[in-house]
Amino acid sequence: MIRLHAIDRTSRGAYADALAQHHALRRAAFEEGRCRALRSVDAAGRDRFDTEATRYLLAIDRDGRVAGGTRLLPSDGPTLLSEVFPHLADIRGFAREPGTWECTRLFASARYREERPLSRAAGIVSAGMIEHCLEQGIPHLNLVVETYWIPQLAEIGWRPRPLGLPVACEGVSLCAVSIAMTEEALRETRAAYGIVASVLARPSTPPDRPRVGRGLAA
């Protein structure tokens, strides 16, 4: 059973193993990206937006292995959109206030990717992220994504709202969108991935430490 765990500054110590896995897996997932601004910048897989204010959402299996994850950045602090790509929101702009968040670096571990268009691990991260936002009163998330993702986001019920026109970055087309965190989006995301119930870890306690010999898989 894989559950999505929400980790903030108060619980990071308890999730040290999972966070170390997450950063390593995330680095592997993004290191081949063509746009340098979207890659990790250090050997551990962290970039300048991994700060004390960052909230991590990690999909963790019963053996303590990370199956996927993403991070949420509060928009009243530095984010990918505000610091690197503000021009992607040159039409509608974006709010920078408490309660507005930005989602970046959503990924699924190679161990859990499947031979089908929609990976269940990615679905647990996606559906659990909407659940978390609904519970926390977060009405929408901003994202910077490669433009080819737009129809796929719409297919799973996310209704992406462009904040500006796509812009080329080192041969990659990028755009900024806003996604409403609604009950309808949650229902459609669950349906797209075949998820029938909540995927959030309750209570939010860390899983058992991985057993000896069960290292990372990327």
Side-chain angles (χ1 to χ4, degrees):
M1 177 70 69
I2 299 173
R3 293 291 184 187
L4 193 75
H5 297 246
I7 305 165
D8 61 17
R9 71 179 74 193
T10 66
S11 56
R12 287 186 193 178
Y15 283 92
D17 289 335
L19 285 168
Q21 291 182 60
H22 162 261
H23 288 303
L25 290 167
R26 194 181 73 180
R27 179 173 182 265
F30 286 94
E31 66 183 356
E32 297 181 359
R34 289 177 290 171
C35 181
R36 282 174 293 180
L38 298 180
R39 299 177 199 154
S40 298
V41 296
D42 68 16
R46 298 177 178 85
D47 62 24
R48 59 177 162 146
F49 304 114
D50 290 304
T51 69
E52 284 298 308
T54 303
R55 186 177 301 173
Y56 297 96
L57 303 180
L58 304 189
I60 304 175
D61 70 15
R62 66 182 62 194
D63 293 321
R65 295 177 301 198
V66 173
T70 190
R71 69 179 175 190
L72 303 184
L73 309 175
S75 66
D76 55 346
T79 70
L80 190 66
L81 183 56
S82 71
E83 305 302 307
V84 183
F85 297 112
H87 52 288
L88 292 179
D90 59 357
I91 294 178
R92 293 194 170 99
F94 56 95
R96 302 202 65 185
E97 57 191 19
T100 300
W101 294 71
E102 183 174 323
C103 169
T104 66
R105 301 214 181 278
L106 194 156
F107 75 96
S109 166
R111 177 191 290 272
Y112 286 94
R113 291 176 198 153
E114 303 165 33
E115 295 299 323
R116 59 174 185 167
L118 299 176
S119 159
R120 184 168 180 82
I124 289 171
V125 176
S126 301
M129 180 178 70
I130 300 175
E131 280 191 72
H132 176 76
C133 288
L134 289 171
E135 291 191 357
Q136 296 297 312
I138 299 173
H140 67 270
L141 293 175
N142 296 326
L143 296 85
V144 174
V145 297
E146 293 190 44
T147 307
Y148 77 86
W149 278 103
I150 298 299
Q152 297 182 56
L153 296 180
E155 184 179 343
I156 64 172
W158 282 22
R159 308 290 190 273
R161 182 174 184 261
L163 302 178
L165 297 174
V167 173
C169 172
E170 302 176 43
V172 177
S173 178
L174 300 176
C175 63
V177 298
S178 176
I179 308 293
M181 299 289 99
T182 64
E183 292 288 352
E184 180 183 8
L186 177 58
R187 286 194 300 272
E188 293 193 27
T189 301
R190 284 176 173 174
Y193 287 99
I195 295 171
V196 298
S198 173
V199 296
L200 289 180
R202 303 178 188 283
S204 185
T205 54
D208 293 336
R209 294 172 64 90
R211 295 190 292 270
V212 174
R214 303 296 291 273
L216 300 181

